[in-house]
Amino acid sequence: MSSRALRSAAAEAAEEDARFMAAALNLARRGLGRVAPNPAVGALIVKDGIVVGRGATADGGRPHAEVLALLQAGKAARGATLYVTLEPCSHHGRTPPCADAIVAAGITRVVSALEDPDPRVAGSGHLRLREAGIEVTVGVLAEAALRANLGHVLRVSHGRPMLTLKLAETADGYAAAPAGAPRLKITGAAADGRVHMLRALHDAVLVGVGTVLADDPLLNVRLPGMESRKPLRIVLDTHLQLAPRSRLAARAREYPTLAIAGESAPAERAALLVETGVEIERVAVGEAGRIDLAAALAFLGARGLTRVFCEGGPRLGAALLARGFADEVLLLRSDQMLGTDGVPALDSASRAALADAGRYRLRASGRIGADAYAHYQRVL
């Protein structure tokens, strides 16, 4: 075969690998918000160009995607190729290692998007496969896989979940009307539906107590057919100002709710909230007299959360951007003007951060119904 033909065959093989890995990533994303503390993984088993098995990490993190794909493929797995969005595990946990199951099934080639940074794996899964004589290719669609697994990667490497920050602003840049004015409704039904979908794709929804006091939100998923999705509702509440009669506290037994308070928050306030079903966790307070964000996120990471959706206001958003904790930012923008001075959605430092190509990149922009949106990703 000529060198040109060899290059053409290699290009076709690489294109096929990318196509099947993209399909595996689509499978993986189905588990977002449902599989913590495990990563959301997708797996495809392909033989002679035909998918014979597919799997995605099941709710709660078990069974793993590879196991489900192998079960579906059965004997057809022998001699096939496995496409998987994260390195197969190699350690004994609640279940035997996926790497051993892959070897036993007779898979002859594994295409893996990303090495797992979890110290219990960290290359040993790929090594186990190679030692068994399996051809292993690593790095296909690695960047997309890293984004899909960012919550898991950050939790095992930095001890915190990934965080998506959502902010909404009027056409003239305000998130709220002046103090004392009626609550400002910024976005329309289509954008609100997108927000509910994003809640469902995260393990938790986070706000500051200021947002709760101003808006009394419910923070649940209100989409038809998704009533079972109940992400943890979290309030950063230094002094435990959350009222027992608030909608968050009143429905805490139906929707899990956590208040993260300062170490000196009043015990009597905590007791009243516990009676409603609210869970209380105390963490350190920073120099500004507010919850230390690093301490709060470290607690959430230790708890097993991998993905947090923040719907806090401008002050919390600015703090997260300043500390580099906002990994993705969704900015919704109405075409309507407030027409007077209000509360800016983003301060000058926050807008500068999003415009800084060394810190954030614009992933996508467009319209959701009547509103515009811009989706930013933190540069990794």
Side-chain angles (χ1 to χ4, degrees):
M1 185 179 291
S2 68
S3 58
R4 177 178 293 180
L6 286 171
R7 287 195 297 270
S8 177
E12 288 180 6
E15 183 178 332
E16 181 174 82
D17 283 350
R19 179 164 54 88
F20 283 122
M21 187 61 74
L25 282 166
N26 284 335
L27 273 175
R29 293 186 184 100
R30 296 181 183 181
L32 295 178
R34 301 164 61 181
V35 302
N38 285 352
V41 177
L44 287 180
I45 297 175
V46 179
K47 192 170 188 177
D48 299 326
I50 298 172
V51 176
V52 295
R54 53 173 58 84
T57 308
D59 289 3
R62 295 287 192 284
H64 288 183
E66 302 95 316
V67 171
L68 292 173
L70 289 170
L71 285 172
Q72 188 177 96
K75 293 181 180 179
R78 188 161 297 278
T81 296
L82 168 69
Y83 292 87
V84 62
T85 59
L86 187 67
E87 178 181 10
C89 65
S90 55
H91 60 285
H92 284 269
R94 297 183 193 174
T95 56
C98 288
D100 288 354
I102 293 165
V103 172
I107 293 287
T108 55
R109 181 173 182 244
V110 171
V111 181
S112 171
L114 197 66
E115 182 176 297
D116 190 344
D118 187 329
R120 298 171 298 174
V121 186
S124 61
H126 292 148
L127 177 61
R128 169 75 181 93
L129 298 174
R130 290 190 175 105
E131 289 176 341
I134 295 174
E135 178 188 348
V136 178
T137 300
V138 181
V140 175
L141 300 190
E143 183 178 356
L146 175 59
R147 292 292 177 180
N149 287 289
L150 187 57
H152 168 69
V153 170
L154 287 174
R155 194 177 80 84
V156 300
S157 61
H158 290 73
R160 71 167 179 92
M162 70 84 66
L163 189 141
T164 301
L165 171 65
K166 185 273 294 184
L167 292 167
E169 65 177 359
T170 60
D172 44 357
Y174 295 108
R183 179 186 175 189
L184 183 62
K185 182 72 173 73
I186 297 176
T187 52
D192 291 349
R194 177 71 64 88
V195 169
H196 281 269
M197 178 60 73
L198 286 169
R199 289 177 184 174
L201 294 174
H202 289 74
D203 308 325
V205 180
L206 172 71
V207 294
V209 71
T211 295
V212 177
L213 296 176
D215 299 338
D216 193 22
L218 189 53
L219 301 180
N220 62 347
V221 178
R222 299 189 294 278
L223 292 175
M226 302 188 73
E227 293 82 4
S228 63
R229 297 290 188 97
K230 295 183 178 181
L232 177 66
R233 305 178 304 171
I234 305 171
V235 184
L236 299 181
D237 188 359
T238 308
H239 306 294
L240 286 180
Q241 296 173 272
L242 179 64
R245 293 186 179 180
S246 66
R247 293 206 293 171
L248 284 177
R251 302 187 69 176
R253 298 195 188 281
E254 182 181 359
Y255 300 101
T257 306
L258 167 69
I260 299 181
E263 294 165 332
S264 61
E268 60 274 17
R269 298 285 302 175
L272 290 172
L273 290 170
V274 168
E275 286 182 5
T276 70
V278 175
E279 180 186 352
I280 307 295
E281 176 64 27
R282 297 176 184 272
V283 302
V285 172
E287 293 180 0
R290 303 189 185 100
I291 294 296
D292 185 299
L293 292 176
L297 291 175
F299 164 73
L300 297 178
R303 186 187 175 105
L305 300 185
T306 61
R307 294 171 56 82
V308 173
F309 185 57
C310 179
E311 296 188 53
R315 188 170 69 181
L316 178 56
L320 291 167
L321 285 162
R323 298 288 299 274
F325 291 146
D327 301 298
E328 300 206 8
V329 180
L330 176 65
L331 182 60
L332 299 169
R333 186 182 180 91
S334 169
D335 288 343
Q336 302 300 312
M337 303 279 287
L338 178 60
T340 185
D341 286 339
V343 180
L346 291 163
D347 59 19
S348 58
S350 298
R351 290 196 187 276
L354 292 177
D356 184 347
R359 296 180 63 185
Y360 285 91
R361 68 178 186 185
L362 181 63
R363 176 189 173 188
S365 61
R367 300 195 71 82
I368 306 173
D371 304 299
Y373 79 93
H375 184 178
Y376 299 88
Q377 292 180 328
R378 182 173 62 85
V379 175
L380 302 176

